[in-house]
Amino acid sequence: NAGVTQTPKFQVLKTGQSMTLQCAQDMNHEYMSWYRQDPGMGLRLIHYSVGAGITDQGEVPNGYNVSRSTTEDFPLRLLSAAPSQTSVYFCASGGPQPQHFGDGTRLSIL
Amino acid sequence: DAKTTQPPSMDCAEGRAANLPCNHSTISGNEYVYWYRQIHSQGPQYIIHGLKNNETNEMASLIITEDRKSSTLILPHATLRDTAVYYCIVPRKTSYDKVIFGPGTSLSVIP
């Protein structure tokens, strides 16, 4: 049972590049979410989804897009990477509680 | 979500009980209290949750006051591996909604 799988684990981008962070869960959870965590800071909610085809904004949605075409997958897209988006990104899923978190994607924007 | 308030940091001697408080004075009658922890650089991990009764599992105990306005997470015999940030959250029960984590309590277990 894999739980929540995030790929890649590490990524370095140049300013202006785009990329997609992948998140997949195998627990048939309706609720999925993306958080970012800056050094020494808490978790901040970016976007969340309460089911396939339904997404909504969290606390810090600017610069990010999401979609939810299946129950299993919830990708996070950076449209035009900026240095301020350097962070650790965590994906989570739950029913909606308790949430299960992935191991994170460490993203650096140069 | 009901707002929660936690002390920013605490210390605990190894082998002693760690008692982490959380205030949630605006909690509604059907809302649960959930506790998570985040060990350095890892994804947060669910610990325990409760509604009104005290709860215990293999990781910790949760004590909720009778008026439900506060709770305490107890790690009965803290080890160095319990050094982490501990989050108390009170998500809405009646609807799927965004789940906001506060800054939590940074627990340092000291040898």
Side-chain angles (χ1 to χ4, degrees):
Chain A
N1 191 350
V4 177
T5 302
Q6 291 184 238
T7 56
K9 295 188 183 305
F10 301 93
Q11 184 71 48
V12 179
L13 292 177
K14 294 181 179 179
T15 297
Q17 287 185 312
S18 63
M19 81 160 293
T20 299
L21 306 186
Q22 301 291 345
C23 176
Q25 54 99 1
D26 61 1
M27 296 170 282
N28 201 33
H29 287 154
E30 292 294 330
Y31 185 94
M32 295 187 73
S33 54
W34 277 101
Y35 295 86
R36 63 175 287 176
Q37 186 170 41
D38 301 328
M41 303 290 287
L43 298 161
R44 291 189 292 170
L45 181 66
I46 305 172
H47 285 286
Y48 66 102
S49 169
V50 299
I54 306 170
T55 64
D56 206 347
Q57 296 180 350
E59 303 171 277
V60 288
N62 292 340
Y64 307 95
N65 275 358
V66 292
S67 60
R68 185 95 179 270
S69 57
T70 67
T71 299
E72 294 77 19
D73 300 301
F74 190 42
L76 178 72
R77 297 183 185 84
L78 279 70
L79 306 175
S80 178
S84 60
Q85 294 178 305
T86 293
S87 191
V88 180
Y89 291 84
F90 290 103
C91 178
S93 76
Q97 294 291 338
Q99 292 196 79
H100 301 257
F101 285 80
D103 292 332
T105 294
R106 284 145 185 83
L107 183 62
S108 293
I109 315 297
L110 304 178
Chain B
D1 298 1
K3 179 177 172 57
T4 62
T5 304
Q6 300 176 253
S9 63
M10 295 181 64
D11 292 337
C12 178
E14 188 178 17
R16 303 297 294 270
N19 298 284
L20 293 94
C22 179
N23 286 323
H24 32 78
S25 58
T26 62
I27 193 170
S28 297
N30 60 354
E31 290 175 340
Y32 284 75
V33 181
Y34 284 81
W35 284 83
Y36 291 79
R37 75 178 181 184
Q38 184 176 26
I39 297 171
H40 181 63
S41 297
Q42 299 180 18
Q45 175 190 25
Y46 163 76
I47 302 173
I48 198 168
H49 71 281
L51 181 63
K52 58 177 70 175
N53 298 320
N54 299 338
E55 302 289 345
T56 296
N57 64 19
E58 65 278 4
M59 293 182 67
S61 295
L62 176 60
I63 309 296
I64 302 173
T65 58
E66 189 169 347
D67 63 8
R68 303 209 327 117
K69 293 185 177 181
S70 66
S71 60
T72 300
L73 179 75
I74 301 172
L75 309 177
H77 305 287
T79 71
L80 299 178
R81 288 175 293 181
D82 292 323
T83 292
V85 177
Y86 288 78
Y87 300 98
C88 164
I89 65 169
V90 181
R92 290 187 187 180
K93 187 183 191 299
T94 57
S95 64
Y96 285 65
D97 202 354
K98 55 189 175 186
V99 178
I100 305 296
F101 283 76
T105 296
S106 178
L107 175 69
S108 296
V109 180
I110 302 168

PDB file of all heavy atoms in Angstrom, chain A residues 31 35 37 43 45 48 50 59 90 95-99 101-102 106, chain B residues 34 36 38 41-44 46 87 89 91 96-101:
ATOM      1  N   TYR A  31     -10.803  13.718  -0.598  1.00  0.00           N
ATOM      2  CA  TYR A  31     -10.166  14.994  -0.294  1.00  0.00           C
ATOM      3  C   TYR A  31      -8.672  14.910  -0.552  1.00  0.00           C
ATOM      4  O   TYR A  31      -7.997  14.006  -0.050  1.00  0.00           O
ATOM      5  CB  TYR A  31     -10.422  15.365   1.166  1.00  0.00           C
ATOM      6  CG  TYR A  31      -9.920  16.734   1.573  1.00  0.00           C
ATOM      7  CD1 TYR A  31     -10.756  17.837   1.547  1.00  0.00           C
ATOM      8  CD2 TYR A  31      -8.610  16.920   2.012  1.00  0.00           C
ATOM      9  CE1 TYR A  31     -10.306  19.090   1.928  1.00  0.00           C
ATOM     10  CE2 TYR A  31      -8.150  18.162   2.390  1.00  0.00           C
ATOM     11  CZ  TYR A  31      -9.005  19.245   2.349  1.00  0.00           C
ATOM     12  OH  TYR A  31      -8.551  20.487   2.719  1.00  0.00           O
ATOM     13  N   TYR A  35       0.124  21.695   0.048  1.00  0.00           N
ATOM     14  CA  TYR A  35       0.661  22.672   0.980  1.00  0.00           C
ATOM     15  C   TYR A  35       2.086  23.011   0.551  1.00  0.00           C
ATOM     16  O   TYR A  35       2.785  22.197  -0.044  1.00  0.00           O
ATOM     17  CB  TYR A  35       0.719  22.118   2.410  1.00  0.00           C
ATOM     18  CG  TYR A  35      -0.615  21.808   3.042  1.00  0.00           C
ATOM     19  CD1 TYR A  35      -1.228  20.580   2.848  1.00  0.00           C
ATOM     20  CD2 TYR A  35      -1.253  22.741   3.862  1.00  0.00           C
ATOM     21  CE1 TYR A  35      -2.449  20.294   3.437  1.00  0.00           C
ATOM     22  CE2 TYR A  35      -2.474  22.454   4.458  1.00  0.00           C
ATOM     23  CZ  TYR A  35      -3.057  21.220   4.246  1.00  0.00           C
ATOM     24  OH  TYR A  35      -4.268  20.940   4.833  1.00  0.00           O
ATOM     25  N   GLN A  37       5.727  24.611   2.350  1.00  0.00           N
ATOM     26  CA  GLN A  37       6.362  24.896   3.634  1.00  0.00           C
ATOM     27  C   GLN A  37       7.714  25.538   3.386  1.00  0.00           C
ATOM     28  O   GLN A  37       8.621  24.902   2.844  1.00  0.00           O
ATOM     29  CB  GLN A  37       6.519  23.626   4.463  1.00  0.00           C
ATOM     30  CG  GLN A  37       7.037  23.901   5.874  1.00  0.00           C
ATOM     31  CD  GLN A  37       6.957  22.661   6.749  1.00  0.00           C
ATOM     32  OE1 GLN A  37       7.245  21.556   6.315  1.00  0.00           O
ATOM     33  NE2 GLN A  37       6.564  22.842   8.014  1.00  0.00           N
ATOM     34  N   LEU A  43       2.865  24.969   7.580  1.00  0.00           N
ATOM     35  CA  LEU A  43       2.258  24.566   6.313  1.00  0.00           C
ATOM     36  C   LEU A  43       1.250  25.613   5.852  1.00  0.00           C
ATOM     37  O   LEU A  43       0.431  26.069   6.643  1.00  0.00           O
ATOM     38  CB  LEU A  43       1.539  23.226   6.488  1.00  0.00           C
ATOM     39  CG  LEU A  43       2.413  22.045   6.887  1.00  0.00           C
ATOM     40  CD1 LEU A  43       1.555  20.941   7.479  1.00  0.00           C
ATOM     41  CD2 LEU A  43       3.177  21.531   5.685  1.00  0.00           C
ATOM     42  N   LEU A  45      -1.732  26.230   2.919  1.00  0.00           N
ATOM     43  CA  LEU A  45      -2.569  25.540   1.953  1.00  0.00           C
ATOM     44  C   LEU A  45      -2.590  26.299   0.635  1.00  0.00           C
ATOM     45  O   LEU A  45      -2.900  27.491   0.596  1.00  0.00           O
ATOM     46  CB  LEU A  45      -3.981  25.390   2.507  1.00  0.00           C
ATOM     47  CG  LEU A  45      -4.991  24.669   1.631  1.00  0.00           C
ATOM     48  CD1 LEU A  45      -4.602  23.206   1.467  1.00  0.00           C
ATOM     49  CD2 LEU A  45      -6.380  24.783   2.247  1.00  0.00           C
ATOM     50  N   TYR A  48      -6.992  22.853  -2.833  1.00  0.00           N
ATOM     51  CA  TYR A  48      -7.511  21.584  -2.355  1.00  0.00           C
ATOM     52  C   TYR A  48      -8.637  21.120  -3.267  1.00  0.00           C
ATOM     53  O   TYR A  48      -9.158  21.894  -4.089  1.00  0.00           O
ATOM     54  CB  TYR A  48      -7.987  21.677  -0.899  1.00  0.00           C
ATOM     55  CG  TYR A  48      -9.187  22.559  -0.671  1.00  0.00           C
ATOM     56  CD1 TYR A  48     -10.454  22.007  -0.490  1.00  0.00           C
ATOM     57  CD2 TYR A  48      -9.052  23.940  -0.600  1.00  0.00           C
ATOM     58  CE1 TYR A  48     -11.560  22.819  -0.265  1.00  0.00           C
ATOM     59  CE2 TYR A  48     -10.147  24.759  -0.384  1.00  0.00           C
ATOM     60  CZ  TYR A  48     -11.393  24.195  -0.201  1.00  0.00           C
ATOM     61  OH  TYR A  48     -12.479  24.993   0.018  1.00  0.00           O
ATOM     62  N   VAL A  50     -12.220  18.407  -3.265  1.00  0.00           N
ATOM     63  CA  VAL A  50     -13.111  17.546  -2.485  1.00  0.00           C
ATOM     64  C   VAL A  50     -13.657  16.400  -3.328  1.00  0.00           C
ATOM     65  O   VAL A  50     -14.541  15.677  -2.880  1.00  0.00           O
ATOM     66  CB  VAL A  50     -14.263  18.358  -1.856  1.00  0.00           C
ATOM     67  CG1 VAL A  50     -13.715  19.412  -0.921  1.00  0.00           C
ATOM     68  CG2 VAL A  50     -15.128  18.994  -2.931  1.00  0.00           C
ATOM     69  N   GLU A  59      -4.936  29.179   0.969  1.00  0.00           N
ATOM     70  CA  GLU A  59      -4.423  30.454   1.480  1.00  0.00           C
ATOM     71  C   GLU A  59      -3.517  31.171   0.488  1.00  0.00           C
ATOM     72  O   GLU A  59      -3.488  32.399   0.442  1.00  0.00           O
ATOM     73  CB  GLU A  59      -3.623  30.202   2.760  1.00  0.00           C
ATOM     74  CG  GLU A  59      -4.367  29.512   3.879  1.00  0.00           C
ATOM     75  CD  GLU A  59      -3.407  29.127   4.995  1.00  0.00           C
ATOM     76  OE1 GLU A  59      -2.755  28.062   4.864  1.00  0.00           O
ATOM     77  OE2 GLU A  59      -3.305  29.878   5.973  1.00  0.00           O
ATOM     78  N   PHE A  90       4.072  19.685  -0.100  1.00  0.00           N
ATOM     79  CA  PHE A  90       3.490  18.447   0.403  1.00  0.00           C
ATOM     80  C   PHE A  90       2.089  18.276  -0.169  1.00  0.00           C
ATOM     81  O   PHE A  90       1.290  19.207  -0.168  1.00  0.00           O
ATOM     82  CB  PHE A  90       3.405  18.455   1.924  1.00  0.00           C
ATOM     83  CG  PHE A  90       4.729  18.363   2.614  1.00  0.00           C
ATOM     84  CD1 PHE A  90       5.306  19.491   3.176  1.00  0.00           C
ATOM     85  CD2 PHE A  90       5.395  17.149   2.716  1.00  0.00           C
ATOM     86  CE1 PHE A  90       6.532  19.418   3.814  1.00  0.00           C
ATOM     87  CE2 PHE A  90       6.621  17.072   3.342  1.00  0.00           C
ATOM     88  CZ  PHE A  90       7.191  18.205   3.890  1.00  0.00           C
ATOM     89  N   GLY A  95     -10.120  11.522   4.162  1.00  0.00           N
ATOM     90  CA  GLY A  95     -11.519  11.228   3.934  1.00  0.00           C
ATOM     91  C   GLY A  95     -12.541  12.139   4.560  1.00  0.00           C
ATOM     92  O   GLY A  95     -13.687  11.692   4.706  1.00  0.00           O
ATOM     93  N   PRO A  96     -12.392  13.422   4.882  1.00  0.00           N
ATOM     94  CA  PRO A  96     -11.174  14.232   4.713  1.00  0.00           C
ATOM     95  C   PRO A  96     -10.146  14.095   5.830  1.00  0.00           C
ATOM     96  O   PRO A  96      -8.982  14.487   5.633  1.00  0.00           O
ATOM     97  CB  PRO A  96     -11.716  15.663   4.688  1.00  0.00           C
ATOM     98  CG  PRO A  96     -12.936  15.620   5.545  1.00  0.00           C
ATOM     99  CD  PRO A  96     -13.551  14.260   5.312  1.00  0.00           C
ATOM    100  N   GLN A  97     -10.521  13.573   6.986  1.00  0.00           N
ATOM    101  CA  GLN A  97      -9.549  13.410   8.067  1.00  0.00           C
ATOM    102  C   GLN A  97      -9.549  11.944   8.499  1.00  0.00           C
ATOM    103  O   GLN A  97     -10.598  11.274   8.431  1.00  0.00           O
ATOM    104  CB  GLN A  97      -9.918  14.286   9.270  1.00  0.00           C
ATOM    105  CG  GLN A  97      -9.833  15.780   9.017  1.00  0.00           C
ATOM    106  CD  GLN A  97      -8.420  16.263   8.838  1.00  0.00           C
ATOM    107  OE1 GLN A  97      -7.465  15.629   9.273  1.00  0.00           O
ATOM    108  NE2 GLN A  97      -8.270  17.396   8.178  1.00  0.00           N
ATOM    109  N   PRO A  98      -8.426  11.436   9.008  1.00  0.00           N
ATOM    110  CA  PRO A  98      -7.139  12.128   9.060  1.00  0.00           C
ATOM    111  C   PRO A  98      -6.486  12.180   7.682  1.00  0.00           C
ATOM    112  O   PRO A  98      -6.784  11.365   6.819  1.00  0.00           O
ATOM    113  CB  PRO A  98      -6.307  11.268  10.006  1.00  0.00           C
ATOM    114  CG  PRO A  98      -6.853   9.898   9.843  1.00  0.00           C
ATOM    115  CD  PRO A  98      -8.325  10.083   9.611  1.00  0.00           C
ATOM    116  N   GLN A  99      -5.623  13.168   7.498  1.00  0.00           N
ATOM    117  CA  GLN A  99      -4.922  13.304   6.234  1.00  0.00           C
ATOM    118  C   GLN A  99      -3.630  12.490   6.258  1.00  0.00           C
ATOM    119  O   GLN A  99      -2.974  12.378   7.277  1.00  0.00           O
ATOM    120  CB  GLN A  99      -4.596  14.774   5.955  1.00  0.00           C
ATOM    121  CG  GLN A  99      -5.816  15.626   5.686  1.00  0.00           C
ATOM    122  CD  GLN A  99      -5.446  16.937   5.040  1.00  0.00           C
ATOM    123  OE1 GLN A  99      -5.184  17.012   3.845  1.00  0.00           O
ATOM    124  NE2 GLN A  99      -5.411  17.985   5.845  1.00  0.00           N
ATOM    125  N   PHE A 101       0.019  12.330   4.381  1.00  0.00           N
ATOM    126  CA  PHE A 101       0.903  13.212   3.619  1.00  0.00           C
ATOM    127  C   PHE A 101       1.955  12.420   2.852  1.00  0.00           C
ATOM    128  O   PHE A 101       2.413  11.361   3.308  1.00  0.00           O
ATOM    129  CB  PHE A 101       1.615  14.185   4.560  1.00  0.00           C
ATOM    130  CG  PHE A 101       0.735  15.290   5.057  1.00  0.00           C
ATOM    131  CD1 PHE A 101      -0.152  15.081   6.092  1.00  0.00           C
ATOM    132  CD2 PHE A 101       0.812  16.551   4.482  1.00  0.00           C
ATOM    133  CE1 PHE A 101      -0.967  16.097   6.555  1.00  0.00           C
ATOM    134  CE2 PHE A 101       0.005  17.584   4.945  1.00  0.00           C
ATOM    135  CZ  PHE A 101      -0.885  17.355   5.978  1.00  0.00           C
ATOM    136  N   GLY A 102       2.346  12.982   1.709  1.00  0.00           N
ATOM    137  CA  GLY A 102       3.477  12.437   0.978  1.00  0.00           C
ATOM    138  C   GLY A 102       4.788  12.897   1.593  1.00  0.00           C
ATOM    139  O   GLY A 102       4.805  13.648   2.567  1.00  0.00           O
ATOM    140  N   ARG A 106      11.029  18.860  -2.941  1.00  0.00           N
ATOM    141  CA  ARG A 106      11.869  20.008  -2.622  1.00  0.00           C
ATOM    142  C   ARG A 106      12.210  20.739  -3.891  1.00  0.00           C
ATOM    143  O   ARG A 106      12.931  20.198  -4.737  1.00  0.00           O
ATOM    144  CB  ARG A 106      13.119  19.544  -1.869  1.00  0.00           C
ATOM    145  CG  ARG A 106      12.789  19.218  -0.427  1.00  0.00           C
ATOM    146  CD  ARG A 106      13.571  18.057   0.149  1.00  0.00           C
ATOM    147  NE  ARG A 106      13.105  17.756   1.499  1.00  0.00           N
ATOM    148  CZ  ARG A 106      12.035  17.006   1.790  1.00  0.00           C
ATOM    149  NH1 ARG A 106      11.338  16.464   0.826  1.00  0.00           N
ATOM    150  NH2 ARG A 106      11.677  16.800   3.039  1.00  0.00           N
TER     151      ARG A 106
ATOM    152  N   TYR B  34      -7.898  17.133  16.082  1.00  0.00           N
ATOM    153  CA  TYR B  34      -6.901  16.245  15.487  1.00  0.00           C
ATOM    154  C   TYR B  34      -5.501  16.746  15.834  1.00  0.00           C
ATOM    155  O   TYR B  34      -5.253  17.948  15.875  1.00  0.00           O
ATOM    156  CB  TYR B  34      -7.032  16.213  13.964  1.00  0.00           C
ATOM    157  CG  TYR B  34      -8.191  15.391  13.460  1.00  0.00           C
ATOM    158  CD1 TYR B  34      -9.481  15.904  13.429  1.00  0.00           C
ATOM    159  CD2 TYR B  34      -7.986  14.086  13.004  1.00  0.00           C
ATOM    160  CE1 TYR B  34     -10.536  15.144  12.971  1.00  0.00           C
ATOM    161  CE2 TYR B  34      -9.040  13.314  12.550  1.00  0.00           C
ATOM    162  CZ  TYR B  34     -10.313  13.861  12.523  1.00  0.00           C
ATOM    163  OH  TYR B  34     -11.362  13.093  12.072  1.00  0.00           O
ATOM    164  N   TYR B  36      -1.386  16.210  14.728  1.00  0.00           N
ATOM    165  CA  TYR B  36      -0.388  15.714  13.793  1.00  0.00           C
ATOM    166  C   TYR B  36       0.988  16.126  14.313  1.00  0.00           C
ATOM    167  O   TYR B  36       1.111  17.048  15.122  1.00  0.00           O
ATOM    168  CB  TYR B  36      -0.569  16.330  12.398  1.00  0.00           C
ATOM    169  CG  TYR B  36      -1.796  15.903  11.654  1.00  0.00           C
ATOM    170  CD1 TYR B  36      -3.043  16.450  11.944  1.00  0.00           C
ATOM    171  CD2 TYR B  36      -1.711  14.947  10.641  1.00  0.00           C
ATOM    172  CE1 TYR B  36      -4.174  16.060  11.245  1.00  0.00           C
ATOM    173  CE2 TYR B  36      -2.837  14.550   9.931  1.00  0.00           C
ATOM    174  CZ  TYR B  36      -4.060  15.115  10.241  1.00  0.00           C
ATOM    175  OH  TYR B  36      -5.175  14.724   9.542  1.00  0.00           O
ATOM    176  N   GLN B  38       5.216  16.696  12.780  1.00  0.00           N
ATOM    177  CA  GLN B  38       6.101  16.747  11.637  1.00  0.00           C
ATOM    178  C   GLN B  38       7.537  16.688  12.144  1.00  0.00           C
ATOM    179  O   GLN B  38       8.026  17.635  12.763  1.00  0.00           O
ATOM    180  CB  GLN B  38       5.878  18.007  10.811  1.00  0.00           C
ATOM    181  CG  GLN B  38       6.712  18.044   9.548  1.00  0.00           C
ATOM    182  CD  GLN B  38       6.411  19.254   8.699  1.00  0.00           C
ATOM    183  OE1 GLN B  38       5.976  20.293   9.180  1.00  0.00           O
ATOM    184  NE2 GLN B  38       6.650  19.136   7.399  1.00  0.00           N
ATOM    185  N   SER B  41      11.771  17.828   8.132  1.00  0.00           N
ATOM    186  CA  SER B  41      11.836  17.600   6.689  1.00  0.00           C
ATOM    187  C   SER B  41      10.892  16.522   6.182  1.00  0.00           C
ATOM    188  O   SER B  41      10.819  16.300   4.975  1.00  0.00           O
ATOM    189  CB  SER B  41      13.256  17.219   6.251  1.00  0.00           C
ATOM    190  OG  SER B  41      14.147  18.270   6.516  1.00  0.00           O
ATOM    191  N   GLN B  42      10.172  15.840   7.068  1.00  0.00           N
ATOM    192  CA  GLN B  42       9.258  14.804   6.620  1.00  0.00           C
ATOM    193  C   GLN B  42       7.844  15.352   6.480  1.00  0.00           C
ATOM    194  O   GLN B  42       7.536  16.437   6.980  1.00  0.00           O
ATOM    195  CB  GLN B  42       9.255  13.641   7.607  1.00  0.00           C
ATOM    196  CG  GLN B  42      10.593  12.951   7.770  1.00  0.00           C
ATOM    197  CD  GLN B  42      10.511  11.803   8.763  1.00  0.00           C
ATOM    198  OE1 GLN B  42       9.434  11.303   9.084  1.00  0.00           O
ATOM    199  NE2 GLN B  42      11.664  11.386   9.257  1.00  0.00           N
ATOM    200  N   GLY B  43       6.973  14.609   5.819  1.00  0.00           N
ATOM    201  CA  GLY B  43       5.568  14.979   5.765  1.00  0.00           C
ATOM    202  C   GLY B  43       4.914  14.807   7.117  1.00  0.00           C
ATOM    203  O   GLY B  43       5.289  13.916   7.885  1.00  0.00           O
ATOM    204  N   PRO B  44       3.938  15.656   7.456  1.00  0.00           N
ATOM    205  CA  PRO B  44       3.232  15.501   8.731  1.00  0.00           C
ATOM    206  C   PRO B  44       2.616  14.120   8.870  1.00  0.00           C
ATOM    207  O   PRO B  44       2.223  13.489   7.882  1.00  0.00           O
ATOM    208  CB  PRO B  44       2.166  16.598   8.668  1.00  0.00           C
ATOM    209  CG  PRO B  44       2.739  17.638   7.763  1.00  0.00           C
ATOM    210  CD  PRO B  44       3.501  16.847   6.730  1.00  0.00           C
ATOM    211  N   TYR B  46      -0.249  11.813  11.125  1.00  0.00           N
ATOM    212  CA  TYR B  46      -1.395  11.806  12.019  1.00  0.00           C
ATOM    213  C   TYR B  46      -1.044  11.088  13.317  1.00  0.00           C
ATOM    214  O   TYR B  46      -0.383  10.046  13.307  1.00  0.00           O
ATOM    215  CB  TYR B  46      -2.576  11.118  11.336  1.00  0.00           C
ATOM    216  CG  TYR B  46      -3.678  10.682  12.269  1.00  0.00           C
ATOM    217  CD1 TYR B  46      -4.576  11.596  12.801  1.00  0.00           C
ATOM    218  CD2 TYR B  46      -3.818   9.342  12.611  1.00  0.00           C
ATOM    219  CE1 TYR B  46      -5.588  11.186  13.659  1.00  0.00           C
ATOM    220  CE2 TYR B  46      -4.824   8.920  13.457  1.00  0.00           C
ATOM    221  CZ  TYR B  46      -5.711   9.854  13.980  1.00  0.00           C
ATOM    222  OH  TYR B  46      -6.713   9.453  14.825  1.00  0.00           O
ATOM    223  N   TYR B  87       1.070  19.750  15.639  1.00  0.00           N
ATOM    224  CA  TYR B  87      -0.034  20.594  15.184  1.00  0.00           C
ATOM    225  C   TYR B  87      -1.357  20.090  15.759  1.00  0.00           C
ATOM    226  O   TYR B  87      -1.667  18.902  15.682  1.00  0.00           O
ATOM    227  CB  TYR B  87      -0.144  20.570  13.663  1.00  0.00           C
ATOM    228  CG  TYR B  87       1.068  21.054  12.905  1.00  0.00           C
ATOM    229  CD1 TYR B  87       1.996  20.149  12.394  1.00  0.00           C
ATOM    230  CD2 TYR B  87       1.278  22.409  12.683  1.00  0.00           C
ATOM    231  CE1 TYR B  87       3.097  20.586  11.675  1.00  0.00           C
ATOM    232  CE2 TYR B  87       2.376  22.855  11.967  1.00  0.00           C
ATOM    233  CZ  TYR B  87       3.278  21.941  11.473  1.00  0.00           C
ATOM    234  OH  TYR B  87       4.364  22.375  10.762  1.00  0.00           O
ATOM    235  N   ILE B  89      -5.385  20.715  15.158  1.00  0.00           N
ATOM    236  CA  ILE B  89      -6.328  21.340  14.231  1.00  0.00           C
ATOM    237  C   ILE B  89      -7.737  20.883  14.569  1.00  0.00           C
ATOM    238  O   ILE B  89      -7.948  19.803  15.129  1.00  0.00           O
ATOM    239  CB  ILE B  89      -6.008  21.025  12.759  1.00  0.00           C
ATOM    240  CG1 ILE B  89      -6.159  19.542  12.448  1.00  0.00           C
ATOM    241  CG2 ILE B  89      -4.612  21.508  12.385  1.00  0.00           C
ATOM    242  CD1 ILE B  89      -6.103  19.233  10.958  1.00  0.00           C
ATOM    243  N   PRO B  91     -10.819  20.717  12.199  1.00  0.00           N
ATOM    244  CA  PRO B  91     -11.481  20.920  10.913  1.00  0.00           C
ATOM    245  C   PRO B  91     -12.993  20.819  11.036  1.00  0.00           C
ATOM    246  O   PRO B  91     -13.514  20.175  11.936  1.00  0.00           O
ATOM    247  CB  PRO B  91     -10.925  19.778  10.057  1.00  0.00           C
ATOM    248  CG  PRO B  91     -10.588  18.712  11.047  1.00  0.00           C
ATOM    249  CD  PRO B  91     -10.179  19.411  12.305  1.00  0.00           C
ATOM    250  N   TYR B  96     -16.965  19.223   3.674  1.00  0.00           N
ATOM    251  CA  TYR B  96     -15.594  19.166   3.217  1.00  0.00           C
ATOM    252  C   TYR B  96     -15.119  20.597   3.018  1.00  0.00           C
ATOM    253  O   TYR B  96     -15.759  21.373   2.353  1.00  0.00           O
ATOM    254  CB  TYR B  96     -15.521  18.413   1.880  1.00  0.00           C
ATOM    255  CG  TYR B  96     -15.671  16.922   2.017  1.00  0.00           C
ATOM    256  CD1 TYR B  96     -16.849  16.353   2.469  1.00  0.00           C
ATOM    257  CD2 TYR B  96     -14.630  16.084   1.686  1.00  0.00           C
ATOM    258  CE1 TYR B  96     -16.974  14.989   2.586  1.00  0.00           C
ATOM    259  CE2 TYR B  96     -14.746  14.702   1.786  1.00  0.00           C
ATOM    260  CZ  TYR B  96     -15.919  14.169   2.238  1.00  0.00           C
ATOM    261  OH  TYR B  96     -16.040  12.823   2.351  1.00  0.00           O
ATOM    262  N   ASP B  97     -14.029  20.937   3.584  1.00  0.00           N
ATOM    263  CA  ASP B  97     -13.550  22.307   3.500  1.00  0.00           C
ATOM    264  C   ASP B  97     -12.035  22.316   3.659  1.00  0.00           C
ATOM    265  O   ASP B  97     -11.435  21.333   4.052  1.00  0.00           O
ATOM    266  CB  ASP B  97     -14.201  23.166   4.576  1.00  0.00           C
ATOM    267  CG  ASP B  97     -14.168  24.647   4.235  1.00  0.00           C
ATOM    268  OD1 ASP B  97     -13.531  25.015   3.224  1.00  0.00           O
ATOM    269  OD2 ASP B  97     -14.774  25.433   4.985  1.00  0.00           O
ATOM    270  N   LYS B  98     -11.460  23.446   3.353  1.00  0.00           N
ATOM    271  CA  LYS B  98     -10.013  23.542   3.446  1.00  0.00           C
ATOM    272  C   LYS B  98      -9.554  23.336   4.885  1.00  0.00           C
ATOM    273  O   LYS B  98     -10.232  23.723   5.837  1.00  0.00           O
ATOM    274  CB  LYS B  98      -9.537  24.894   2.932  1.00  0.00           C
ATOM    275  CG  LYS B  98     -10.185  26.076   3.612  1.00  0.00           C
ATOM    276  CD  LYS B  98      -9.804  27.351   2.879  1.00  0.00           C
ATOM    277  CE  LYS B  98     -10.529  28.548   3.446  1.00  0.00           C
ATOM    278  NZ  LYS B  98     -10.261  29.770   2.647  1.00  0.00           N
ATOM    279  N   VAL B  99      -8.418  22.712   5.016  1.00  0.00           N
ATOM    280  CA  VAL B  99      -7.851  22.408   6.328  1.00  0.00           C
ATOM    281  C   VAL B  99      -6.610  23.271   6.507  1.00  0.00           C
ATOM    282  O   VAL B  99      -5.654  23.139   5.743  1.00  0.00           O
ATOM    283  CB  VAL B  99      -7.497  20.918   6.460  1.00  0.00           C
ATOM    284  CG1 VAL B  99      -6.866  20.644   7.811  1.00  0.00           C
ATOM    285  CG2 VAL B  99      -8.745  20.077   6.262  1.00  0.00           C
ATOM    286  N   ILE B 100      -6.645  24.129   7.484  1.00  0.00           N
ATOM    287  CA  ILE B 100      -5.563  25.072   7.727  1.00  0.00           C
ATOM    288  C   ILE B 100      -4.748  24.605   8.939  1.00  0.00           C
ATOM    289  O   ILE B 100      -5.312  24.299   9.987  1.00  0.00           O
ATOM    290  CB  ILE B 100      -6.096  26.491   7.992  1.00  0.00           C
ATOM    291  CG1 ILE B 100      -6.991  26.945   6.839  1.00  0.00           C
ATOM    292  CG2 ILE B 100      -4.944  27.461   8.213  1.00  0.00           C
ATOM    293  CD1 ILE B 100      -6.280  27.077   5.515  1.00  0.00           C
ATOM    294  N   PHE B 101      -3.447  24.538   8.756  1.00  0.00           N
ATOM    295  CA  PHE B 101      -2.541  24.230   9.854  1.00  0.00           C
ATOM    296  C   PHE B 101      -1.948  25.528  10.391  1.00  0.00           C
ATOM    297  O   PHE B 101      -1.489  26.362   9.628  1.00  0.00           O
ATOM    298  CB  PHE B 101      -1.401  23.318   9.374  1.00  0.00           C
ATOM    299  CG  PHE B 101      -1.800  21.892   9.199  1.00  0.00           C
ATOM    300  CD1 PHE B 101      -2.544  21.488   8.101  1.00  0.00           C
ATOM    301  CD2 PHE B 101      -1.426  20.925  10.124  1.00  0.00           C
ATOM    302  CE1 PHE B 101      -2.907  20.162   7.932  1.00  0.00           C
ATOM    303  CE2 PHE B 101      -1.786  19.594   9.967  1.00  0.00           C
ATOM    304  CZ  PHE B 101      -2.530  19.213   8.870  1.00  0.00           C
TER     305      PHE B 101
END
